[in-house]
Structures are given as C-alpha cells and as structure tokens.
Amino acid sequence: MPTAARLVAVVPLLLGLAWASVAAVDVIRADSLLREAGTEMSTWAAAPAVETWNSVHEKLQSAIELRPRDPAGLELMGLLGTMRRDSPKFMDEGLAHLVKALEFRPVSPHAWASLLEARYARGESGPALELALARAARNRDVIDAVPLR
C-alpha cells in the first residue's frame, strides 16, 4: 500500500480517536462534578448556607456545560434550584431544569416527584400537578434502575 493511501486511511482514524478522547475527558470531568455536588447535597438536612448552595450551583453549572443533555445533572440542578424557596428566580430555573431533565429521561420518578413538590410549594394546582403526581407514582418502580447521583 503506498504511503499516500496509508495516510488517507490512518489520519481519519487518528482524528476520530482524538475526538473520542476529548469527549471521554469531558464525561469524566462532568461526572466528577456531579458526584461532588450530589454528595454535598445528600448531607443537607435543611437548606444550606448560601455560600454552600452557590458552590454546589457552580459545580452543577460546569457539569451541565460539559454535558448539557445529561438528565442526572439537570435533575440535580432542578432540585437545587427548587430548594431556594426564597428566590422566585432560582425556583423558576429549577423548574425549567426539571422539565428539561424529563425530556431526556421521562421515566424518572425522582424528577417527577421533585417537579410535583416544587409546583405544590408554588401553590400551583390542576392538571399539571396531577400529571406530575401520576407520573411519579407510575414510575416509582424505576427508582432502583435509574439511580440519582
């Protein structure tokens, strides 16, 4: 096989490997940030101090920038946002993240339950609240199969 033909065969392969390596590093970085944020959030018995909340928020934002279609990061960001009952802005952002997470993983009972809780806390009622309750109850068997980080 002539040298030019080898280069034509090898160069695309090497470029593909380089792209896969960069993508893998992004996945590892995002997962590490999600794990740190999730571990911190799991220790909270009540709403954390604002500094702690901001720190976790920054980690989750970084993870979502790396992997914007990862429902786990969106769920955690939604849960974090809906914890800020003192801030309508963060509450709205949290609800938006939960809705987006459900677009990517519609069978997540965690996201449906978090959405239900947030909407109830805002005083919403009607079909949207009933839908979240029904979906959370229907998908409760999925909890063990789809762990939240």
Side-chain angles (χ1 to χ4, degrees), residues 101-113:
L102 286 165
E103 289 175 15
F104 296 118
R105 186 166 49 199
V107 296
S108 173
H110 297 290
W112 283 111

Side-chain angles (χ1 to χ4, degrees), residues 46-104:
V50 174
E51 298 81 24
T52 304
W53 189 93
N54 287 336
S55 170
V56 171
H57 188 262
E58 288 173 16
K59 288 178 185 177
L60 290 174
Q61 275 185 317
S62 296
I64 289 172
E65 286 173 10
L66 291 169
R67 298 190 63 206
R69 298 175 56 97
D70 181 11
L74 294 166
E75 284 182 34
L76 282 175
M77 184 64 101
L79 181 60
L80 184 70
T82 59
M83 288 178 160
R84 289 290 301 268
R85 306 266 164 91
D86 62 323
S87 171
K89 175 187 171 228
F90 288 123
M91 195 71 165
D92 290 343
E93 287 176 9
L95 282 169
H97 280 100
L98 288 170
V99 169
K100 191 167 183 178
L102 286 165
E103 289 175 15
F104 296 118

